[in-house]
Amino acid sequence: CTNRLRDDEPSGPSSSSRRRRDALLLLGFVVGGAAPATHAHAASLLDERPPSSPAAAVADASCASSRLSGELAAALSGALYSALLELGLAEDRDLQREIFKLRDREYRYYYEANTDKLPRVPDLSDMSGGMSNRTYFNFNFYVLWKVAARHAVGADARTALCSAFGRQLLPRVWAGADAAAVATARAGPGGRASQAATLGLLTTLLDALKEGGYICSYQVVWGEAPGAWPGDWFVSQDRITGEAASAGADARGTVFQLKLHQPADIAGSIALRAEEDGFWSRAVSSMAVALMGKAGYGRAVVDEYFVQDTWQGPPSLAARVLLALGDPLEMVDVPFVPSTLVQDWVLEA
């Protein structure tokens, strides 16, 4: 990929040092707002407000029960499989055998942990083997990437796989993506899509992902990458915000932020990132890089991190003070359950 992806952010509770850092950052945002894993700002540890609005709670509940398009689930899985074959990283028969064995070995544990979210019998009518269930898709997509990690060894191989995956996935999600991007580049200043056209390309891609159930909501902040926002941003804020995108200037040097609420593979992505030295699906950024390339932008830098939109600290003052001091003996339970993937972008050339 031509994007640079930061992998030094917290990915879960597997590291005690990261856990304590998460705790401090989360405490900085217990004022009913988001809890980014980066860009923390100082805030009073005692300044708490209700962690979520009623509208956000309704939206979260609706998201939890929503379905992923079977077609989109198949596209995500098929794009990775095709990318592995395209790069010659594995033989078809070997891939099928490895995927089956890992899925068969791990599913009983996953089912026991997610019985309330998984049907006893998958709904095969979705034409994707039941992957329209977001929890079941999360497991299967995790297995695919786990197998991919065995074959894509080293930074170069994984970067190549990321690029191939994005190229394979983009036309499966948005059939006219390449043609639309090329057209905007031809019509734009200096052979590049204008800022307004670039924004339009991104929102069209995100709309397709939302319509297919991969994400429950999104936000584009054009012209800046804020470090804090309300915990209910997905219901209280406009979908497109920030500066006005120019129709006459290209987007070189433009900063923007994408927030993706509840991606269907968020749990598996966090697990992979922790287990595979920062390697995970990056489905949206991989597609966006491919899309920007067609629009005339050959290099994009993107920092990606997971955030927990709302978090309420421990009720006792003693526990809060321990967290403020770093909790060296790890006596305070600090749950980190991310709900949003944030991407801070810069289009460089």
PDB file of all heavy atoms in Angstrom, residues 5-42:
ATOM      1  N   LEU A   5       0.597   3.293   7.857  1.00  0.00           N
ATOM      2  CA  LEU A   5      -0.381   2.978   8.885  1.00  0.00           C
ATOM      3  C   LEU A   5       0.319   2.829  10.224  1.00  0.00           C
ATOM      4  O   LEU A   5       1.273   2.071  10.349  1.00  0.00           O
ATOM      5  CB  LEU A   5      -1.119   1.691   8.526  1.00  0.00           C
ATOM      6  CG  LEU A   5      -1.834   1.758   7.182  1.00  0.00           C
ATOM      7  CD1 LEU A   5      -2.267   0.381   6.748  1.00  0.00           C
ATOM      8  CD2 LEU A   5      -3.029   2.682   7.260  1.00  0.00           C
ATOM      9  N   ARG A   6      -0.144   3.586  11.223  1.00  0.00           N
ATOM     10  CA  ARG A   6       0.485   3.547  12.533  1.00  0.00           C
ATOM     11  C   ARG A   6       0.015   2.323  13.299  1.00  0.00           C
ATOM     12  O   ARG A   6      -1.167   2.081  13.434  1.00  0.00           O
ATOM     13  CB  ARG A   6       0.125   4.823  13.303  1.00  0.00           C
ATOM     14  CG  ARG A   6       0.785   4.901  14.670  1.00  0.00           C
ATOM     15  CD  ARG A   6       0.615   6.276  15.270  1.00  0.00           C
ATOM     16  NE  ARG A   6      -0.779   6.611  15.441  1.00  0.00           N
ATOM     17  CZ  ARG A   6      -1.262   7.853  15.418  1.00  0.00           C
ATOM     18  NH1 ARG A   6      -0.447   8.850  15.198  1.00  0.00           N
ATOM     19  NH2 ARG A   6      -2.534   8.097  15.617  1.00  0.00           N
ATOM     20  N   ASP A   7       0.962   1.574  13.826  1.00  0.00           N
ATOM     21  CA  ASP A   7       0.642   0.332  14.516  1.00  0.00           C
ATOM     22  C   ASP A   7       1.032   0.354  15.987  1.00  0.00           C
ATOM     23  O   ASP A   7       1.085  -0.669  16.635  1.00  0.00           O
ATOM     24  CB  ASP A   7       1.367  -0.843  13.854  1.00  0.00           C
ATOM     25  CG  ASP A   7       0.825  -1.118  12.472  1.00  0.00           C
ATOM     26  OD1 ASP A   7      -0.397  -1.043  12.309  1.00  0.00           O
ATOM     27  OD2 ASP A   7       1.615  -1.383  11.561  1.00  0.00           O
ATOM     28  N   ASP A   8       1.338   1.535  16.537  1.00  0.00           N
ATOM     29  CA  ASP A   8       1.790   1.566  17.919  1.00  0.00           C
ATOM     30  C   ASP A   8       0.680   1.948  18.879  1.00  0.00           C
ATOM     31  O   ASP A   8       0.934   2.312  20.016  1.00  0.00           O
ATOM     32  CB  ASP A   8       2.955   2.554  18.079  1.00  0.00           C
ATOM     33  CG  ASP A   8       2.571   3.977  17.691  1.00  0.00           C
ATOM     34  OD1 ASP A   8       1.455   4.165  17.162  1.00  0.00           O
ATOM     35  OD2 ASP A   8       3.376   4.886  17.915  1.00  0.00           O
ATOM     36  N   GLU A   9      -0.563   1.873  18.428  1.00  0.00           N
ATOM     37  CA  GLU A   9      -1.671   2.245  19.283  1.00  0.00           C
ATOM     38  C   GLU A   9      -2.220   1.039  20.027  1.00  0.00           C
ATOM     39  O   GLU A   9      -2.060  -0.094  19.608  1.00  0.00           O
ATOM     40  CB  GLU A   9      -2.792   2.882  18.447  1.00  0.00           C
ATOM     41  CG  GLU A   9      -2.315   4.047  17.602  1.00  0.00           C
ATOM     42  CD  GLU A   9      -1.600   5.095  18.407  1.00  0.00           C
ATOM     43  OE1 GLU A   9      -1.865   5.217  19.616  1.00  0.00           O
ATOM     44  OE2 GLU A   9      -0.749   5.786  17.843  1.00  0.00           O
ATOM     45  N   PRO A  10      -2.916   1.260  21.131  1.00  0.00           N
ATOM     46  CA  PRO A  10      -3.467   0.141  21.900  1.00  0.00           C
ATOM     47  C   PRO A  10      -4.423  -0.686  21.058  1.00  0.00           C
ATOM     48  O   PRO A  10      -5.230  -0.153  20.321  1.00  0.00           O
ATOM     49  CB  PRO A  10      -4.207   0.833  23.043  1.00  0.00           C
ATOM     50  CG  PRO A  10      -3.591   2.191  23.130  1.00  0.00           C
ATOM     51  CD  PRO A  10      -3.182   2.551  21.748  1.00  0.00           C
ATOM     52  N   SER A  11      -4.328  -1.981  21.165  1.00  0.00           N
ATOM     53  CA  SER A  11      -5.205  -2.861  20.407  1.00  0.00           C
ATOM     54  C   SER A  11      -6.011  -3.778  21.304  1.00  0.00           C
ATOM     55  O   SER A  11      -6.758  -4.604  20.822  1.00  0.00           O
ATOM     56  CB  SER A  11      -4.370  -3.701  19.442  1.00  0.00           C
ATOM     57  OG  SER A  11      -3.401  -4.434  20.149  1.00  0.00           O
ATOM     58  N   GLY A  12      -5.878  -3.664  22.605  1.00  0.00           N
ATOM     59  CA  GLY A  12      -6.637  -4.531  23.485  1.00  0.00           C
ATOM     60  C   GLY A  12      -5.924  -4.720  24.801  1.00  0.00           C
ATOM     61  O   GLY A  12      -4.912  -4.091  25.071  1.00  0.00           O
ATOM     62  N   PRO A  13      -6.428  -5.588  25.630  1.00  0.00           N
ATOM     63  CA  PRO A  13      -5.896  -5.729  26.974  1.00  0.00           C
ATOM     64  C   PRO A  13      -4.709  -6.668  27.093  1.00  0.00           C
ATOM     65  O   PRO A  13      -4.315  -7.018  28.189  1.00  0.00           O
ATOM     66  CB  PRO A  13      -7.098  -6.298  27.735  1.00  0.00           C
ATOM     67  CG  PRO A  13      -7.817  -7.118  26.714  1.00  0.00           C
ATOM     68  CD  PRO A  13      -7.639  -6.381  25.415  1.00  0.00           C
ATOM     69  N   SER A  14      -4.109  -7.063  25.960  1.00  0.00           N
ATOM     70  CA  SER A  14      -3.043  -8.051  26.036  1.00  0.00           C
ATOM     71  C   SER A  14      -1.761  -7.484  26.625  1.00  0.00           C
ATOM     72  O   SER A  14      -0.930  -8.214  27.131  1.00  0.00           O
ATOM     73  CB  SER A  14      -2.757  -8.620  24.645  1.00  0.00           C
ATOM     74  OG  SER A  14      -2.384  -7.596  23.758  1.00  0.00           O
ATOM     75  N   SER A  15      -1.543  -6.204  26.538  1.00  0.00           N
ATOM     76  CA  SER A  15      -0.335  -5.594  27.055  1.00  0.00           C
ATOM     77  C   SER A  15      -0.666  -4.751  28.266  1.00  0.00           C
ATOM     78  O   SER A  15      -1.504  -3.858  28.200  1.00  0.00           O
ATOM     79  CB  SER A  15       0.318  -4.716  25.975  1.00  0.00           C
ATOM     80  OG  SER A  15       1.287  -3.865  26.543  1.00  0.00           O
ATOM     81  N   SER A  16       0.018  -5.014  29.392  1.00  0.00           N
ATOM     82  CA  SER A  16      -0.307  -4.278  30.611  1.00  0.00           C
ATOM     83  C   SER A  16       0.074  -2.813  30.488  1.00  0.00           C
ATOM     84  O   SER A  16      -0.635  -1.939  30.995  1.00  0.00           O
ATOM     85  CB  SER A  16       0.408  -4.909  31.803  1.00  0.00           C
ATOM     86  OG  SER A  16       1.816  -4.898  31.609  1.00  0.00           O
ATOM     87  N   SER A  17       1.182  -2.514  29.795  1.00  0.00           N
ATOM     88  CA  SER A  17       1.563  -1.112  29.659  1.00  0.00           C
ATOM     89  C   SER A  17       0.562  -0.368  28.804  1.00  0.00           C
ATOM     90  O   SER A  17       0.187   0.767  29.097  1.00  0.00           O
ATOM     91  CB  SER A  17       2.965  -1.013  29.049  1.00  0.00           C
ATOM     92  OG  SER A  17       2.994  -1.588  27.760  1.00  0.00           O
ATOM     93  N   ARG A  18       0.110  -1.007  27.714  1.00  0.00           N
ATOM     94  CA  ARG A  18      -0.910  -0.384  26.886  1.00  0.00           C
ATOM     95  C   ARG A  18      -2.211  -0.252  27.656  1.00  0.00           C
ATOM     96  O   ARG A  18      -2.934   0.720  27.522  1.00  0.00           O
ATOM     97  CB  ARG A  18      -1.137  -1.212  25.625  1.00  0.00           C
ATOM     98  CG  ARG A  18      -0.007  -1.087  24.617  1.00  0.00           C
ATOM     99  CD  ARG A  18      -0.282  -1.940  23.409  1.00  0.00           C
ATOM    100  NE  ARG A  18       0.705  -1.723  22.382  1.00  0.00           N
ATOM    101  CZ  ARG A  18       0.710  -2.366  21.224  1.00  0.00           C
ATOM    102  NH1 ARG A  18      -0.220  -3.264  20.984  1.00  0.00           N
ATOM    103  NH2 ARG A  18       1.633  -2.125  20.320  1.00  0.00           N
ATOM    104  N   ARG A  19      -2.510  -1.245  28.475  1.00  0.00           N
ATOM    105  CA  ARG A  19      -3.731  -1.211  29.258  1.00  0.00           C
ATOM    106  C   ARG A  19      -3.758   0.019  30.159  1.00  0.00           C
ATOM    107  O   ARG A  19      -4.752   0.716  30.264  1.00  0.00           O
ATOM    108  CB  ARG A  19      -3.816  -2.494  30.094  1.00  0.00           C
ATOM    109  CG  ARG A  19      -4.943  -2.532  31.115  1.00  0.00           C
ATOM    110  CD  ARG A  19      -4.818  -3.805  31.945  1.00  0.00           C
ATOM    111  NE  ARG A  19      -5.785  -3.822  33.022  1.00  0.00           N
ATOM    112  CZ  ARG A  19      -5.604  -3.218  34.184  1.00  0.00           C
ATOM    113  NH1 ARG A  19      -4.504  -2.521  34.391  1.00  0.00           N
ATOM    114  NH2 ARG A  19      -6.511  -3.290  35.124  1.00  0.00           N
ATOM    115  N   ARG A  20      -2.640   0.286  30.846  1.00  0.00           N
ATOM    116  CA  ARG A  20      -2.616   1.441  31.723  1.00  0.00           C
ATOM    117  C   ARG A  20      -2.705   2.727  30.924  1.00  0.00           C
ATOM    118  O   ARG A  20      -3.337   3.693  31.340  1.00  0.00           O
ATOM    119  CB  ARG A  20      -1.339   1.401  32.568  1.00  0.00           C
ATOM    120  CG  ARG A  20      -1.360   0.300  33.624  1.00  0.00           C
ATOM    121  CD  ARG A  20      -0.247   0.466  34.620  1.00  0.00           C
ATOM    122  NE  ARG A  20       1.066   0.237  34.028  1.00  0.00           N
ATOM    123  CZ  ARG A  20       1.632  -0.960  33.922  1.00  0.00           C
ATOM    124  NH1 ARG A  20       1.010  -2.031  34.364  1.00  0.00           N
ATOM    125  NH2 ARG A  20       2.826  -1.094  33.378  1.00  0.00           N
ATOM    126  N   ARG A  21      -2.054   2.753  29.751  1.00  0.00           N
ATOM    127  CA  ARG A  21      -2.142   3.952  28.927  1.00  0.00           C
ATOM    128  C   ARG A  21      -3.573   4.160  28.457  1.00  0.00           C
ATOM    129  O   ARG A  21      -4.089   5.273  28.460  1.00  0.00           O
ATOM    130  CB  ARG A  21      -1.199   3.844  27.719  1.00  0.00           C
ATOM    131  CG  ARG A  21      -1.208   5.103  26.863  1.00  0.00           C
ATOM    132  CD  ARG A  21      -0.166   5.053  25.762  1.00  0.00           C
ATOM    133  NE  ARG A  21      -0.450   3.997  24.811  1.00  0.00           N
ATOM    134  CZ  ARG A  21       0.280   3.829  23.709  1.00  0.00           C
ATOM    135  NH1 ARG A  21       1.317   4.604  23.466  1.00  0.00           N
ATOM    136  NH2 ARG A  21      -0.023   2.851  22.868  1.00  0.00           N
ATOM    137  N   ASP A  22      -4.224   3.074  28.040  1.00  0.00           N
ATOM    138  CA  ASP A  22      -5.634   3.170  27.664  1.00  0.00           C
ATOM    139  C   ASP A  22      -6.453   3.770  28.791  1.00  0.00           C
ATOM    140  O   ASP A  22      -7.313   4.619  28.579  1.00  0.00           O
ATOM    141  CB  ASP A  22      -6.213   1.786  27.346  1.00  0.00           C
ATOM    142  CG  ASP A  22      -5.640   1.196  26.084  1.00  0.00           C
ATOM    143  OD1 ASP A  22      -5.016   1.957  25.330  1.00  0.00           O
ATOM    144  OD2 ASP A  22      -5.824  -0.006  25.872  1.00  0.00           O
ATOM    145  N   ALA A  23      -6.197   3.287  30.008  1.00  0.00           N
ATOM    146  CA  ALA A  23      -6.979   3.741  31.150  1.00  0.00           C
ATOM    147  C   ALA A  23      -6.867   5.238  31.336  1.00  0.00           C
ATOM    148  O   ALA A  23      -7.860   5.936  31.536  1.00  0.00           O
ATOM    149  CB  ALA A  23      -6.505   3.017  32.416  1.00  0.00           C
ATOM    150  N   LEU A  24      -5.649   5.754  31.231  1.00  0.00           N
ATOM    151  CA  LEU A  24      -5.454   7.181  31.427  1.00  0.00           C
ATOM    152  C   LEU A  24      -6.114   7.985  30.309  1.00  0.00           C
ATOM    153  O   LEU A  24      -6.729   9.020  30.546  1.00  0.00           O
ATOM    154  CB  LEU A  24      -3.959   7.495  31.491  1.00  0.00           C
ATOM    155  CG  LEU A  24      -3.242   6.923  32.730  1.00  0.00           C
ATOM    156  CD1 LEU A  24      -1.748   7.158  32.618  1.00  0.00           C
ATOM    157  CD2 LEU A  24      -3.780   7.557  34.002  1.00  0.00           C
ATOM    158  N   LEU A  25      -5.988   7.490  29.092  1.00  0.00           N
ATOM    159  CA  LEU A  25      -6.600   8.205  27.977  1.00  0.00           C
ATOM    160  C   LEU A  25      -8.116   8.164  28.075  1.00  0.00           C
ATOM    161  O   LEU A  25      -8.797   9.150  27.817  1.00  0.00           O
ATOM    162  CB  LEU A  25      -6.132   7.603  26.647  1.00  0.00           C
ATOM    163  CG  LEU A  25      -4.630   7.740  26.361  1.00  0.00           C
ATOM    164  CD1 LEU A  25      -4.288   7.063  25.043  1.00  0.00           C
ATOM    165  CD2 LEU A  25      -4.222   9.198  26.319  1.00  0.00           C
ATOM    166  N   LEU A  26      -8.643   7.015  28.449  1.00  0.00           N
ATOM    167  CA  LEU A  26     -10.083   6.899  28.583  1.00  0.00           C
ATOM    168  C   LEU A  26     -10.608   7.805  29.676  1.00  0.00           C
ATOM    169  O   LEU A  26     -11.647   8.438  29.539  1.00  0.00           O
ATOM    170  CB  LEU A  26     -10.467   5.440  28.864  1.00  0.00           C
ATOM    171  CG  LEU A  26     -10.270   4.464  27.712  1.00  0.00           C
ATOM    172  CD1 LEU A  26     -10.443   3.040  28.200  1.00  0.00           C
ATOM    173  CD2 LEU A  26     -11.224   4.751  26.584  1.00  0.00           C
ATOM    174  N   LEU A  27      -9.880   7.884  30.783  1.00  0.00           N
ATOM    175  CA  LEU A  27     -10.312   8.749  31.866  1.00  0.00           C
ATOM    176  C   LEU A  27     -10.363  10.201  31.430  1.00  0.00           C
ATOM    177  O   LEU A  27     -11.152  10.988  31.931  1.00  0.00           O
ATOM    178  CB  LEU A  27      -9.361   8.605  33.064  1.00  0.00           C
ATOM    179  CG  LEU A  27      -9.640   7.421  33.988  1.00  0.00           C
ATOM    180  CD1 LEU A  27      -8.536   7.292  35.014  1.00  0.00           C
ATOM    181  CD2 LEU A  27     -10.982   7.590  34.688  1.00  0.00           C
ATOM    182  N   GLY A  28      -9.543  10.557  30.499  1.00  0.00           N
ATOM    183  CA  GLY A  28      -9.553  11.921  30.006  1.00  0.00           C
ATOM    184  C   GLY A  28     -10.808  12.264  29.241  1.00  0.00           C
ATOM    185  O   GLY A  28     -11.055  13.436  28.943  1.00  0.00           O
ATOM    186  N   PHE A  29     -11.621  11.248  28.898  1.00  0.00           N
ATOM    187  CA  PHE A  29     -12.793  11.503  28.078  1.00  0.00           C
ATOM    188  C   PHE A  29     -14.060  10.931  28.693  1.00  0.00           C
ATOM    189  O   PHE A  29     -14.987  10.572  27.979  1.00  0.00           O
ATOM    190  CB  PHE A  29     -12.584  10.923  26.672  1.00  0.00           C
ATOM    191  CG  PHE A  29     -11.694  11.776  25.842  1.00  0.00           C
ATOM    192  CD1 PHE A  29     -10.328  11.647  25.925  1.00  0.00           C
ATOM    193  CD2 PHE A  29     -12.223  12.738  25.006  1.00  0.00           C
ATOM    194  CE1 PHE A  29      -9.504  12.440  25.173  1.00  0.00           C
ATOM    195  CE2 PHE A  29     -11.404  13.543  24.247  1.00  0.00           C
ATOM    196  CZ  PHE A  29     -10.026  13.394  24.326  1.00  0.00           C
ATOM    197  N   VAL A  30     -14.126  10.841  30.006  1.00  0.00           N
ATOM    198  CA  VAL A  30     -15.334  10.321  30.626  1.00  0.00           C
ATOM    199  C   VAL A  30     -16.404  11.390  30.753  1.00  0.00           C
ATOM    200  O   VAL A  30     -17.370  11.234  31.472  1.00  0.00           O
ATOM    201  CB  VAL A  30     -15.049   9.725  32.029  1.00  0.00           C
ATOM    202  CG1 VAL A  30     -14.167   8.521  31.920  1.00  0.00           C
ATOM    203  CG2 VAL A  30     -14.429  10.772  32.955  1.00  0.00           C
ATOM    204  N   VAL A  31     -16.236  12.485  30.028  1.00  0.00           N
ATOM    205  CA  VAL A  31     -17.224  13.551  30.076  1.00  0.00           C
ATOM    206  C   VAL A  31     -18.318  13.312  29.033  1.00  0.00           C
ATOM    207  O   VAL A  31     -18.863  14.237  28.447  1.00  0.00           O
ATOM    208  CB  VAL A  31     -16.547  14.919  29.837  1.00  0.00           C
ATOM    209  CG1 VAL A  31     -15.674  15.274  31.015  1.00  0.00           C
ATOM    210  CG2 VAL A  31     -15.729  14.911  28.548  1.00  0.00           C
ATOM    211  N   GLY A  32     -18.603  12.051  28.772  1.00  0.00           N
ATOM    212  CA  GLY A  32     -19.666  11.715  27.827  1.00  0.00           C
ATOM    213  C   GLY A  32     -19.205  11.777  26.395  1.00  0.00           C
ATOM    214  O   GLY A  32     -20.008  11.786  25.475  1.00  0.00           O
ATOM    215  N   GLY A  33     -17.894  11.836  26.186  1.00  0.00           N
ATOM    216  CA  GLY A  33     -17.383  11.940  24.829  1.00  0.00           C
ATOM    217  C   GLY A  33     -16.562  10.733  24.461  1.00  0.00           C
ATOM    218  O   GLY A  33     -16.510   9.744  25.175  1.00  0.00           O
ATOM    219  N   ALA A  34     -15.903  10.841  23.302  1.00  0.00           N
ATOM    220  CA  ALA A  34     -15.130   9.721  22.797  1.00  0.00           C
ATOM    221  C   ALA A  34     -13.869   9.531  23.606  1.00  0.00           C
ATOM    222  O   ALA A  34     -13.402  10.432  24.287  1.00  0.00           O
ATOM    223  CB  ALA A  34     -14.766   9.968  21.322  1.00  0.00           C
ATOM    224  N   ALA A  35     -13.333   8.343  23.510  1.00  0.00           N
ATOM    225  CA  ALA A  35     -12.108   8.019  24.227  1.00  0.00           C
ATOM    226  C   ALA A  35     -11.051   7.554  23.254  1.00  0.00           C
ATOM    227  O   ALA A  35     -10.786   6.376  23.125  1.00  0.00           O
ATOM    228  CB  ALA A  35     -12.389   6.929  25.256  1.00  0.00           C
ATOM    229  N   PRO A  36     -10.461   8.481  22.478  1.00  0.00           N
ATOM    230  CA  PRO A  36      -9.494   8.063  21.481  1.00  0.00           C
ATOM    231  C   PRO A  36      -8.265   7.437  22.117  1.00  0.00           C
ATOM    232  O   PRO A  36      -7.859   7.800  23.215  1.00  0.00           O
ATOM    233  CB  PRO A  36      -9.124   9.382  20.766  1.00  0.00           C
ATOM    234  CG  PRO A  36     -10.234  10.317  21.085  1.00  0.00           C
ATOM    235  CD  PRO A  36     -10.712   9.918  22.448  1.00  0.00           C
ATOM    236  N   ALA A  37      -7.661   6.529  21.388  1.00  0.00           N
ATOM    237  CA  ALA A  37      -6.432   5.908  21.850  1.00  0.00           C
ATOM    238  C   ALA A  37      -5.240   6.821  21.602  1.00  0.00           C
ATOM    239  O   ALA A  37      -4.137   6.528  22.016  1.00  0.00           O
ATOM    240  CB  ALA A  37      -6.229   4.577  21.135  1.00  0.00           C
ATOM    241  N   THR A  38      -5.463   7.917  20.893  1.00  0.00           N
ATOM    242  CA  THR A  38      -4.418   8.896  20.672  1.00  0.00           C
ATOM    243  C   THR A  38      -5.016  10.272  20.802  1.00  0.00           C
ATOM    244  O   THR A  38      -6.221  10.448  21.022  1.00  0.00           O
ATOM    245  CB  THR A  38      -3.817   8.762  19.262  1.00  0.00           C
ATOM    246  OG1 THR A  38      -4.875   8.874  18.321  1.00  0.00           O
ATOM    247  CG2 THR A  38      -3.130   7.427  19.088  1.00  0.00           C
ATOM    248  N   HIS A  39      -4.168  11.295  20.653  1.00  0.00           N
ATOM    249  CA  HIS A  39      -4.618  12.684  20.681  1.00  0.00           C
ATOM    250  C   HIS A  39      -5.325  13.015  21.996  1.00  0.00           C
ATOM    251  O   HIS A  39      -6.331  13.714  22.020  1.00  0.00           O
ATOM    252  CB  HIS A  39      -5.566  12.998  19.514  1.00  0.00           C
ATOM    253  CG  HIS A  39      -5.036  12.585  18.190  1.00  0.00           C
ATOM    254  ND1 HIS A  39      -3.919  13.133  17.628  1.00  0.00           N
ATOM    255  CD2 HIS A  39      -5.449  11.634  17.317  1.00  0.00           C
ATOM    256  CE1 HIS A  39      -3.670  12.570  16.468  1.00  0.00           C
ATOM    257  NE2 HIS A  39      -4.573  11.653  16.255  1.00  0.00           N
ATOM    258  N   ALA A  40      -4.841  12.493  23.107  1.00  0.00           N
ATOM    259  CA  ALA A  40      -5.498  12.741  24.383  1.00  0.00           C
ATOM    260  C   ALA A  40      -5.270  14.174  24.827  1.00  0.00           C
ATOM    261  O   ALA A  40      -4.242  14.773  24.581  1.00  0.00           O
ATOM    262  CB  ALA A  40      -4.949  11.784  25.440  1.00  0.00           C
ATOM    263  N   HIS A  41      -6.247  14.719  25.489  1.00  0.00           N
ATOM    264  CA  HIS A  41      -6.155  16.046  26.069  1.00  0.00           C
ATOM    265  C   HIS A  41      -6.414  15.936  27.563  1.00  0.00           C
ATOM    266  O   HIS A  41      -7.123  15.049  28.031  1.00  0.00           O
ATOM    267  CB  HIS A  41      -7.188  16.984  25.437  1.00  0.00           C
ATOM    268  CG  HIS A  41      -6.999  17.133  23.962  1.00  0.00           C
ATOM    269  ND1 HIS A  41      -6.048  17.948  23.417  1.00  0.00           N
ATOM    270  CD2 HIS A  41      -7.622  16.550  22.915  1.00  0.00           C
ATOM    271  CE1 HIS A  41      -6.106  17.881  22.095  1.00  0.00           C
ATOM    272  NE2 HIS A  41      -7.045  17.029  21.764  1.00  0.00           N
ATOM    273  N   ALA A  42      -5.846  16.865  28.329  1.00  0.00           N
ATOM    274  CA  ALA A  42      -6.014  16.805  29.779  1.00  0.00           C
ATOM    275  C   ALA A  42      -7.460  17.071  30.143  1.00  0.00           C
ATOM    276  O   ALA A  42      -8.129  17.905  29.555  1.00  0.00           O
ATOM    277  CB  ALA A  42      -5.114  17.837  30.438  1.00  0.00           C
TER     278      ALA A  42
END
